[in-house]
Amino acid sequence: MHAFTRNTLFLLISAATIFATGCNKKPKRPNPGDTVIGPVGTLNPNGVDGFGGGFADGGLGGMGTNNGLTEPGSDLLPQGAYEDGDKIYGLLQPVYFAFDQYAISGPERAKLDAAKAYLDANPAQRLLIEGRADWRGTGDYNLGLGDRRASAAKQYLVTLGVADAKIEILSKGDLEAVENGADDIMAKDRRSDLVVLKK
């Protein structure tokens, strides 16, 4: 009887452990923010042009055509990109910002150059820029900061020649930010996502 009880108890504990570890794994949908942050440039929020300085000097750097993205009319999306209704997430790289800043650094401008090249190659599509902030600060402040980040990215694209009507902006503030996140997580939350609108 004693051996039966020990064996039964062992089986119950083993089954509970297997059940607990097997049930907490959920399929994870790709997040457009799960990218590696590009090289950090020097930000100057007091730059005369509103982009952190250096924009007015013409230092944009050409990006070529289509930049490794899918060809116009192709139904294939690159790895990490996904469609949600009329939106395509992860096709264009997000633009990252320094803490409490909305100036666009030099390395991040290259991502907007690539977005312009994509829009030129796909004239039927438009762009939604979603401005985001990390969890620090009040909700209202972070909504405003997200709006300034999205607006700065839009203004940069308009200055490159993208029609104003082809770009929408939306501030998500800290809505999806990781609260009390580590520095590397918070750095990923300080961004503007470039979402392709198919219609």
Side-chain angles (χ1 to χ4, degrees):
M1 180 74 175
H2 189 294
F4 174 74
T5 305
R6 275 188 19 192
N7 288 342
T8 303
L9 183 61
F10 176 75
L11 288 174
L12 287 174
I13 291 173
S14 298
T17 304
I18 292 169
F19 180 75
T21 57
C23 290
N24 66 8
K25 293 183 180 179
K26 297 179 183 175
K28 186 176 179 185
R29 190 169 95 169
N31 180 351
D34 290 345
T35 60
V36 176
I37 297 175
V40 178
T42 302
L43 297 179
N44 176 7
N46 300 318
V48 176
D49 50 54
F51 296 99
F55 176 67
D57 66 9
L60 300 178
M63 290 300 294
T65 59
N66 227 18
N67 304 301
L69 302 175
T70 55
E71 293 297 320
S74 171
D75 289 333
L76 299 175
L77 293 176
Q79 184 176 1
Y82 66 95
E83 292 186 25
D84 184 6
D86 291 335
K87 297 176 183 175
I88 305 174
Y89 291 90
L91 186 62
L92 300 172
Q93 292 184 340
V95 176
Y96 292 99
F97 297 87
F99 173 66
D100 202 26
Q101 300 295 317
Y102 59 93
I104 302 170
S105 68
E108 298 304 300
R109 293 178 195 170
K111 297 173 181 181
L112 292 168
D113 295 339
K116 189 227 188 259
Y118 178 82
L119 290 172
D120 288 346
N122 297 275
Q125 296 180 346
R126 296 179 302 116
L127 197 62
L128 171 64
I129 304 175
E130 295 180 345
R132 299 173 182 272
D134 64 34
W135 67 277
R136 294 174 290 184
T138 66
D140 288 342
Y141 181 83
N142 288 335
L143 276 174
L145 183 57
D147 184 70
R148 290 189 293 277
R149 287 173 172 167
S151 295
K154 177 179 179 175
Q155 185 58 45
Y156 182 86
L157 286 168
V158 168
T159 305
L160 291 179
V162 177
D164 185 87
K166 289 192 71 137
I167 307 170
E168 296 177 27
I169 63 169
L170 173 68
S171 177
K172 294 263 183 137
D174 59 8
L175 184 64
E176 298 169 3
V178 177
E179 190 169 345
N180 296 316
D183 288 343
D184 60 332
I185 298 298
M186 289 190 292
K188 290 180 182 180
D189 286 337
R190 297 189 296 265
R191 68 184 191 273
S192 283
D193 288 326
L194 306 179
V195 181
V196 175
L197 301 175
K198 295 192 291 184
K199 293 183 182 179

